[in-house]
Amino acid sequence: QVQLVESGGGLVQPGGSLRLSCAAKGSIFSMRGMGWYRQAPGKQRELVATITNGGSTNYADSVQGRFTISSDNAKNTVYLQMNSLKPEDTAVFYCNASPPSRAYWGQGTQVTVSS
């Protein structure tokens, strides 16, 4: 059984940066990959970025060039470095397996981009 706990969200001004962390309680090695997802108010949850066990990454067009996903397998932790944040990035961010599993959705971490 794996539990995923997101942290690092907060309020940031447009153009600012945040780094999100996803700590896995239990091994994530069995997962083919990990992903960050987000859900903005009134919208469906969407994929933001993924990383495979081999380190290959993929990004949504809306965050390409601004966000970077990485993982530290020794710490069972996945990160999302977010730069040049925009108001439209405001959402609750979640980590999960890639593809996601219903069993792994956590509470998420709120990111608010506002001046």
Side-chain angles (χ1 to χ4, degrees):
Q1 185 71 22
V2 175
Q3 182 182 2
L4 304 174
V5 180
E6 303 94 343
S7 63
L11 173 64
V12 63
Q13 292 187 343
S17 298
L18 283 174
R19 189 176 83 152
L20 306 183
S21 298
C22 172
K25 296 182 180 180
S27 176
I28 61 174
F29 290 146
S30 61
M31 300 182 185
R32 289 172 293 175
M34 295 293 294
W36 281 97
Y37 307 81
R38 67 183 179 185
Q39 187 167 19
K43 295 186 177 181
Q44 290 188 333
R45 188 150 42 195
E46 63 176 359
L47 175 67
V48 175
T50 61
I51 185 167
T52 67
N53 285 342
S56 297
T57 59
N58 191 40
Y59 299 92
D61 289 343
S62 59
V63 307
Q64 181 75 46
R66 299 188 297 122
F67 291 10
T68 302
I69 188 171
S70 62
S71 65
D72 185 335
N73 289 341
K75 295 182 178 179
N76 277 345
T77 301
V78 179
Y79 304 98
L80 185 68
Q81 177 66 43
M82 305 187 296
N83 299 328
S84 302
L85 283 161
K86 304 175 181 180
E88 52 263 42
D89 293 318
T90 295
V92 178
F93 281 71
Y94 304 86
C95 68
N96 202 316
S98 174
S101 170
R102 184 176 298 180
Y104 297 148
W105 290 118
Q107 295 299 311
T109 185
Q110 175 72 48
V111 172
T112 302
V113 185
S114 175
S115 55

